[in-house]
Amino acid sequence: MDEEVIPILHVEDAAAAVAWYERLGFAKQWEHVFAPGLPAFVEVARGGVRLFLSEHQGDARPDTLVYLRVRDVESLASEFGVRVKDAPWAREIELRDPDGNRLRIGTPTEGHV
């Protein structure tokens, strides 16, 4: 097993959040609910990148910022209809998921990989 960090993002509706993250190229891996009607806890993954999406109160706070490095930020910018901005370290976009979590997504520029 490789060691890793997995950010946990708070979501109000896990199913809606999963659908939104699928637009970013993530796929649902699993979902856990202790009993019907209780909050869901879901893992989504895109290659080796994983996120936990939690409906549980107190697991995370809204307005969290997660940085994702991707190979092709241009395709994601096109999918979401946003403009790519140049930073000294990457070409980037910034999105907010339906729950207000912020995602800064970038393709590193040469020398910053």
Side-chain angles (χ1 to χ4, degrees):
M1 180 194 93
D2 291 332
E3 294 183 351
E4 62 185 323
V5 172
I6 304 174
I8 300 172
L9 301 175
H10 184 268
V11 298
E12 290 295 324
D13 179 339
V18 167
W20 191 87
Y21 280 90
E22 287 174 341
R23 291 180 62 200
L24 283 174
F26 284 84
K28 181 177 171 180
Q29 302 301 295
W30 51 262
E31 178 175 342
H32 180 268
V33 178
F34 282 103
L38 291 179
F41 193 91
V42 180
E43 178 184 302
V44 294
R46 175 191 163 120
V49 176
R50 298 171 191 265
L51 295 172
F52 290 154
L53 307 175
S54 177
E55 293 177 347
H56 293 265
Q57 294 300 316
D59 272 358
R61 64 179 184 80
D63 200 36
T64 296
L65 174 62
V66 173
Y67 194 96
L68 299 174
R69 279 188 167 176
V70 298
R71 287 184 183 83
D72 183 14
V73 72
E74 302 290 339
S75 65
L76 295 176
S78 177
E79 168 68 23
F80 286 87
V82 297
R83 204 173 118 233
V84 177
K85 296 179 183 172
D86 289 311
W89 52 87
R91 293 185 45 75
E92 298 179 328
I93 61 174
E94 187 159 325
L95 302 173
R96 283 190 181 265
D97 75 10
D99 296 286
N101 296 299
R102 297 180 303 142
L103 297 158
R104 192 167 299 145
I105 305 165
T107 299
T109 53
E110 193 171 316
H112 290 91
V113 177

